[in-house]
Amino acid sequence: NAGVTQTPKFRILKIGQSMTLQCTQDMNHNYMYWYRQDPGMGLKLIYYSVGAGITDKGEVPNGYNVSRSTTEDFPLRLELAAPSQTSVYFCASSPGQGFGKLFFGSGTQLSVL
Amino acid sequence: GEDVEQSLFLSVREGDSSVINCTYTDSSSTYLYWYKQEPGAGLQLLTYIFSNMDMKQDQRLTVLLNKKDKHLSLRIADTQTGDSAIYFCAESGAGSYQLTFGKGTKLSVIP
């Protein structure tokens, strides 16, 4: 039972480069989320999706884009990477009812230099 | 915006009880959550409490909610070295898809 799988685990980008963080879940959850975690800080919501084809902005969406073409996958796209995007990124999913019962992936540590 | 505050560090001896505290500002909070993060891992839901409850017990974990003071606590009985982790308090408002997380309390258990 894989749960929520994120790739890659680590990545170093140069300023201005782009990349996609992959996230897939095998629990048939409708709700999926992207969070970022900065050192000593709580998690900030970047984007979320309530089902295939539906996405919406969270608290800190600038510099990111998402898509949700299937129930399983919710990739996060970084365009023109900036040092401020250095962070640990977590993908999560939930079954819907009881929104806060999130299942998290193990995270992607991203450094932008 | 809404805020969730936690102390950043707590150190206890193995076998003692740990109490991690949290305060929040959102008076419309519907659910309040405790998540655990072990090093290098994602967050894992430990327990949660609905806002109309005062207390919830789950094996070694006891959650207390004082809605009047907007104060939430997590008590871990007989704390073990495996409980060493960062514990996040989080809340969600009615019908909201967004959780507001605290900054996390790092619990260190001394053998």
Side-chain angles (χ1 to χ4, degrees), chain B residues 44-101:
Chain B
Q44 178 185 14
L45 180 64
L46 269 183
T47 186
Y48 65 95
I49 188 167
F50 189 53
S51 59
N52 68 353
M53 298 170 65
D54 297 326
M55 184 180 83
K56 181 178 181 180
Q57 190 149 0
D58 185 0
Q59 298 182 341
R60 292 191 299 123
L61 304 178
T62 303
V63 178
L64 294 177
L65 174 61
N66 182 326
K67 195 172 181 181
K68 174 177 171 290
D69 294 338
K70 298 190 184 69
H71 182 268
L72 182 74
S73 68
L74 174 69
R75 178 177 179 269
I76 304 173
D78 187 26
T79 310
Q80 303 297 308
T81 54
D83 295 323
S84 293
I86 301 176
Y87 291 81
F88 290 91
C89 173
E91 63 88 19
S92 63
S96 173
Y97 298 109
Q98 299 198 30
L99 291 187
T100 300
F101 284 87

Side-chain angles (χ1 to χ4, degrees), chain A residues 31 33 35 37 40-45 48 50 57-59 88 90 98-107, chain B residues 8 31 33 35 37 40-45 48 86 88 92-104:
Chain A
Y31 296 76
Y33 311 82
Y35 286 89
Q37 182 182 31
M41 303 294 289
L43 278 70
K44 301 292 185 183
L45 182 64
Y48 66 94
V50 301
K57 296 177 181 178
E59 185 179 357
V88 180
F90 288 102
F99 301 121
K101 298 179 192 176
L102 302 183
F103 295 78
F104 281 84
S106 58
Chain B
L8 296 182
Y31 286 97
Y33 307 85
Y35 280 84
Q37 184 181 32
L43 280 69
Q44 178 185 14
L45 180 64
Y48 65 95
I86 301 176
F88 290 91
S92 63
S96 173
Y97 298 109
Q98 299 198 30
L99 291 187
T100 300
F101 284 87
K103 294 181 180 180

